[in-house]
Amino acid sequence: MSVCWVCRRIPLALLAALAFLSFGSGPAHARRVSETTIQHDDGTASKRIEINGKTMSVTVTHADSAGHRDSSSIDIGGEFDGAGIRVRGDGNNLVRLFSDVRVGPDERVDGDVVAVFGSVRVEGEVTGSAVAVFGSLDLRRGAMVRGDAVAVGGPLHQGEGAHVSGEAVQVGFSPLTLGLPGLPVVLATIVLGWLVSLFFGWIAAALFPGRLARIAITSSRRTAASLAIGVLSGPLVLMAGVLLLVTVIGIPVAILTPFVYVGVVYAGQLAATYVLGCKLTGRRLGEGSATMPLLSGSLLVASIFFLGSILWETPGLVRTVALFFMLVGLLLVVGLSLIGTGAFLLSRAGSRPRDIGADAPAAAPASAPGAPAVG
């Protein structure tokens, strides 16, 4: 069978933050976390899996070629037990949020087993379906699943001797269904991103110290205006690109515009990170070397993501704390980028004001009282 889905390439931190908000007490309208359609090769039947954040339910709808539909819904609500927020819905369905589920060799669950932001390991018998959302589904030797075995956003492992009466489906969020990255990969990515930011920040401070100082001071003095311009800059650049595309002469400029804008955003983020580092080290903007403030500011941002990634490996309420750190890190990066972009534009790429910065012309010395004027 083939699996069809609509996927969005969202960074792990943003995906986790949005999913966390959707399961909270948000607005009254429903927020759907995920929807996946499973289509048979011959087109005779299809199955849709929906995860609804407001009603906190997982719904599996099966439709055949004749138009008949059979829907099965697992409602998350009722009892909360333990640090992992263990919830039982109607019947004997077992659902856990931010926690793992294990069905032992001698255990039997009369219903469905679902883990959201957690993994499912089955060694015994499940009379319904076994579903893992943003986690792994592991069917060990001797496992018996009377319904379907579905892993959404994570790996599915069916060991030798494990039996699934329904369908075993693994649904990923990229063309290659690899599941979520492992902890070493995530930590290495964070460290690499920190080193890259530190390197380009050092290059900018060495080549353009005055411009970096002017952008930083503009973002500090005119923070609200910088934030507003940074928010508006994205839609304005998009509109400008569309207008340039309709003209033959403007097509090359329209192609280069996104790359230039990305460079502006990155330069602004470095300048705003420099401001953050000056606040942490107690140094005045534009004074001394910018290396230590850039190191301090970027290290703080990387440490937040680093800590959140490590805590993510622990199920239960600790994983909720990890989501909080990831959300804080995400908001910090977005805020620094928007404010820095606006300050970059307000300062005209760091050319205003001219009396600020290491490369500004030195002021002429004042004449002594009574000295004759020269020239």
Side-chain angles (χ1 to χ4, degrees):
M1 65 179 300
S2 62
V3 179
C4 305
W5 69 92
V6 178
C7 66
R8 296 179 180 178
R9 296 181 177 274
I10 306 178
L12 177 61
L14 179 58
L15 182 61
L18 292 177
F20 173 70
L21 292 177
S22 66
F23 280 106
S25 54
H29 62 278
R31 296 180 180 178
R32 182 169 299 166
V33 178
S34 178
E35 177 179 332
T36 302
T37 301
I38 304 169
Q39 183 76 39
H40 286 270
D41 291 334
D42 54 6
T44 58
S46 64
K47 180 172 295 185
R48 186 176 62 186
I49 302 173
E50 297 180 5
I51 305 169
N52 194 295
K54 178 180 178 295
T55 60
M56 303 187 73
S57 62
V58 179
T59 303
V60 180
T61 303
H62 181 273
D64 55 21
S65 57
H68 299 106
R69 293 179 176 272
D70 182 16
S71 180
S72 175
S73 179
I74 305 172
D75 295 326
I76 306 173
E79 303 176 2
F80 290 80
D81 180 22
I85 313 181
R86 176 177 176 174
V87 186
R88 287 188 179 273
D90 297 336
N92 294 320
N93 297 323
L94 178 59
V95 180
R96 288 189 182 179
L97 306 179
F98 309 108
S99 181
D100 300 332
V101 180
R102 178 179 179 272
V103 180
D106 300 327
E107 294 181 336
R108 171 190 171 97
V109 177
D110 294 324
D112 299 315
V113 175
V114 180
V116 181
F117 284 104
S119 300
V120 176
R121 187 172 74 178
V122 180
E123 301 174 79
E125 181 179 358
V126 177
T127 61
S129 299
V131 181
V133 182
F134 303 125
S136 62
L137 177 57
D138 187 10
L139 306 179
R140 299 294 180 90
R141 176 187 294 271
M144 172 69 69
V145 178
R146 302 291 182 182
D148 300 326
V150 181
V152 180
L156 169 62
H157 176 262
Q158 184 174 352
E160 184 179 355
H163 178 72
V164 179
S165 300
E167 299 173 348
V169 181
Q170 180 182 357
V171 181
F173 293 95
S174 63
L176 298 176
T177 308
L178 302 177
L180 297 178
L183 180 60
V185 176
V186 174
L187 296 181
T189 303
I190 294 173
V191 174
L192 179 61
W194 173 61
L195 292 177
V196 170
S197 298
L198 189 60
F199 173 75
F200 282 105
W202 176 76
I203 293 294
L207 298 180
F208 313 103
R211 292 182 180 270
L212 178 65
R214 294 185 187 109
I215 298 174
I217 293 176
T218 301
S219 66
S220 179
R221 291 179 178 178
R222 307 177 64 182
T223 305
S226 299
L227 178 60
I229 294 178
V231 172
L232 294 175
S233 63
L236 291 177
V237 169
L238 179 61
M239 293 174 56
V242 173
L243 293 176
L244 289 172
L245 285 175
V246 300
T247 63
V248 178
I249 301 178
I251 291 179
V253 179
I255 296 176
L256 293 176
T257 298
F259 299 97
V260 174
Y261 181 69
V262 170
V264 170
V265 173
Y266 193 69
Q269 179 185 339
L270 291 177
T273 303
Y274 167 65
V275 176
L276 177 62
C278 287
K279 299 293 184 181
L280 295 175
T281 57
R283 180 177 299 182
R284 294 184 60 183
L285 295 174
E287 291 187 356
S289 174
T291 303
M292 184 56 64
L294 285 170
L295 174 63
S296 303
S298 59
L299 183 60
L300 174 63
V301 177
S303 299
I304 294 175
F305 285 108
F306 200 89
L307 181 59
S309 301
I310 294 178
L311 294 178
W312 178 263
E313 292 297 305
T314 304
L317 290 180
V318 177
R319 186 165 292 177
T320 306
V321 177
L323 288 176
F324 171 76
F325 277 102
M326 292 180 180
L327 179 60
V328 170
L330 175 65
L331 294 177
L332 184 58
V333 170
V334 173
L336 292 176
S337 301
L338 293 177
I339 295 175
T341 301
F344 186 96
L345 299 175
L346 277 176
S347 64
R348 301 181 187 181
S351 62
R352 297 290 189 276
R354 293 187 178 276
D355 60 338
I356 297 176
D359 56 355
S367 300
V374 180

